Amino acid sequence: MLDSLRRLRHSFGFGVHSPFAFRFVRDVVRAPRSCRYYCHDELHSLLRPLPRQRRRTCKLIFRLAARMGFRHVCISVGADKAIKNAVSPALGNADFRVGIPRHPSPGTLAICRADELPLDFSAADWPSDCVLVVTHTYYAGKAIMEVIMSSLHGGWTFEGKHMSIMVTDASQQLCRLSILLP
């Protein structure tokens, strides 16, 4: 019960003391309904046939990509094709690759499922300005996120029940937030 209340509180920005994390929660995770991106109608028609949960996940990843403007996008083999279709309109000039790199370039967005990451996965060598989005089931996600957390030197993590987002930044102290993600 306490964890659910903490997630709800952080999901609206309360108790979030990092300026980056606050903007991330307010602009990406909980974007105002009046906030419309330039290709919102195209994205809406593209995602219409999907179940609600997948639509919400794809829209969140689209807002993340549009807000942070990545140069490279790495999507795992088993990731949902709808996710790639949702990211493409936001990052038309990005370099799209298949697979999760061990040593990505700065400005990389990596998207995968938790069961696709190897047990020895480490984000210690990841440069700043990289984002890893892991979709998972609740229990598998907790285990893989603990492995990733043990290798991180700094940045932010936004952990939900079915998805976790990790933003690397070696110059910042590690900040872990439990929030409501799709």
Side-chain angles (χ1 to χ4, degrees):
M1 177 76 170
L2 186 60
D3 189 44
S4 297
L5 290 174
R6 187 179 315 117
R7 283 182 198 279
L8 182 65
R9 186 171 184 263
H10 287 163
S11 296
F12 288 98
F14 297 107
V16 178
H17 301 290
S18 164
F20 172 83
F22 182 79
R23 283 192 309 271
F24 186 88
V25 168
R26 298 297 288 175
D27 296 343
V28 175
V29 176
R30 293 279 177 210
R33 289 188 183 261
S34 61
C35 178
R36 293 182 63 94
Y37 287 89
Y38 54 92
C39 60
H40 184 269
D41 295 332
E42 175 187 339
L43 182 68
H44 183 69
S45 64
L46 182 72
L47 300 176
R48 184 173 294 146
L50 298 177
R52 182 174 186 247
Q53 182 68 29
R54 286 183 42 210
R55 275 195 318 259
R56 293 179 70 205
T57 299
C58 290
K59 286 180 181 180
L60 173 66
I61 293 174
F62 169 81
R63 290 191 305 267
L64 171 68
R67 177 79 169 146
M68 297 190 73
F70 299 101
R71 293 184 299 269
H72 309 283
V73 179
C74 301
I75 300 177
S76 68
V77 177
D80 194 353
K81 187 175 181 176
I83 291 175
K84 182 177 191 259
N85 293 338
V87 172
S88 295
L91 301 172
N93 297 331
D95 175 30
F96 283 84
R97 300 178 189 158
V98 176
I100 303 302
R102 290 276 187 178
H103 308 285
S105 304
T108 297
L109 170 64
I111 304 167
C112 69
R113 291 189 333 229
D115 59 355
E116 294 177 320
L117 290 174
L119 294 176
D120 64 340
F121 181 80
S122 173
D125 297 332
W126 283 40
S128 295
D129 300 329
C130 288
V131 175
L132 174 64
V133 177
V134 181
T135 58
H136 52 72
T137 59
Y138 185 66
Y139 295 108
K142 286 183 82 83
I144 195 67
M145 286 309 292
E146 290 307 319
V147 170
I148 293 171
M149 290 303 124
S150 66
S151 69
L152 273 180
H153 297 298
W156 300 269
T157 62
F158 304 93
E159 303 167 40
K161 287 187 176 182
H162 304 289
M163 175 191 293
S164 297
I165 301 171
M166 177 190 71
V167 181
T168 60
D169 189 350
S171 66
Q172 297 292 323
Q173 184 178 4
L174 183 61
C175 174
R176 294 180 72 172
L177 294 172
S178 294
I179 63 174
L180 294 174
L181 292 170

